[in-house]
């Protein structure tokens, strides 16, 4: 046996033709739909704002990481330069310890055969001492640059950690 269902309904061209109670129900339903749509639109706008903020934070973290990587590479290069400079200064210090420029000056003065030879030898010694002085100044600059890069790197890492904490919220 087959069951046949049928529905009887009335068709109205507009809500004005409805009975008063039905018009009230339709108006309440329309208000509820409008309120729900407004809430949905607000939530969607809020979600888009949050998504945009999140993307901006992700981009900031990526930019910070790029700068950190660049600064870290520069810090490594500066550290290598500091180590090379330390080695050069170590050789100079070793030279000074073994007799250094004082004994060299004495030997140059005593071993000079004439005044021109003495002037040339003293100029040579002056060039050596100037090189050592320049090397010390350069080492100070290398060390200051390295320390500045490490400081910058620490600040960048702190900034990145703060942004990552913002992302976790």
């Amino acid at each position: 046996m087959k069951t046949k269902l049928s529905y009887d309904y009335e068709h109205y061209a507009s809500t004005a033709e409805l009975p008063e109670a039905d018009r009230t129900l339709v108006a309440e339903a329309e208000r509820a739909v409008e309120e729900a749509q407004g809430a949905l639109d607000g939530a969607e706008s809020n979600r888009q704002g949050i998504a945009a903020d999140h993307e901006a934070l992700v981009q900031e973290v990526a930019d910070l990481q790029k700068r950190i990587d660049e600064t870290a590479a520069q810090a490594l290069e500066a550290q290598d330069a500091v180590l090379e400079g330390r080695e050069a200064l170590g050789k100079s210090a070793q030279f000074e310890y073994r007799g250094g420029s004082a004994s060299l000056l004495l030997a140059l003065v005593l071993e000079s055969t004439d005044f021109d030879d003495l002037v040339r030898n003293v100029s040579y010694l002056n060039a050596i001492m100037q090189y050592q002085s320049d090397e010390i100044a350069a080492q100070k600059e290398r060390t200051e640059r390295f320390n500045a890069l490490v400081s910058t790197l620490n600040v960048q890492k702190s900034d990145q950690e703060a942004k990552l904490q913002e992302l976790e919220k």
Side-chain angles (χ1 to χ4, degrees):
M1 174 186 299
K2 288 187 177 180
T3 306
K4 199 174 202 186
L5 298 175
S6 67
Y7 296 97
D8 248 353
Y9 64 92
E10 294 179 29
H11 178 70
Y12 296 96
S14 70
T15 56
E17 299 173 6
L18 290 173
E20 182 63 32
D22 289 343
R23 277 196 306 249
T24 303
L25 289 173
V26 168
E28 288 175 9
E30 286 175 344
R31 277 193 301 277
V33 167
E34 286 175 11
E35 288 175 11
Q37 187 62 47
L40 180 62
D41 291 344
E44 177 62 23
S45 175
N46 192 23
R47 185 201 62 80
Q48 288 174 349
I50 291 171
D53 291 346
H54 182 267
E55 283 301 315
L57 281 173
V58 167
Q59 186 59 46
E60 285 181 47
V61 168
D63 292 344
L64 282 169
Q65 185 60 49
K66 183 179 177 185
R67 287 196 314 246
I68 286 169
D69 292 343
E70 291 169 357
T71 304
Q74 291 173 355
L76 287 174
E77 290 173 8
Q79 183 180 29
D80 289 343
V82 167
L83 293 174
E84 289 172 9
R86 186 180 295 160
E87 185 178 330
L89 287 178
K91 289 177 183 177
S92 293
Q94 187 179 25
F95 170 75
E96 289 295 327
Y97 178 74
R98 290 190 178 157
S101 54
S103 65
L104 182 60
L105 177 62
L106 184 60
L108 289 175
V109 168
L110 294 177
E111 293 176 3
S112 297
T113 56
D114 58 20
F115 185 73
D116 288 336
D117 192 30
L118 175 65
V119 170
R120 186 175 50 251
N121 289 339
V122 169
S123 294
Y124 173 71
L125 181 61
N126 187 35
I128 291 173
M129 294 176 82
Q130 184 62 47
Y131 169 78
Q132 290 173 340
S133 175
D134 291 346
E135 193 60 35
I136 290 170
Q139 182 64 11
K140 285 181 183 178
E141 289 175 12
R142 287 187 289 263
T143 302
E144 289 171 1
R145 180 175 183 270
F146 173 72
N147 290 337
L149 285 169
V150 168
S151 177
T152 300
L153 187 59
N154 289 334
V155 168
Q156 289 173 342
K157 286 297 283 180
S158 295
D159 290 348
Q160 183 186 39
E161 288 173 9
K163 294 296 180 183
L164 286 171
Q165 287 178 353
E166 279 186 54
L167 276 176
E168 291 176 1
K169 290 181 183 178

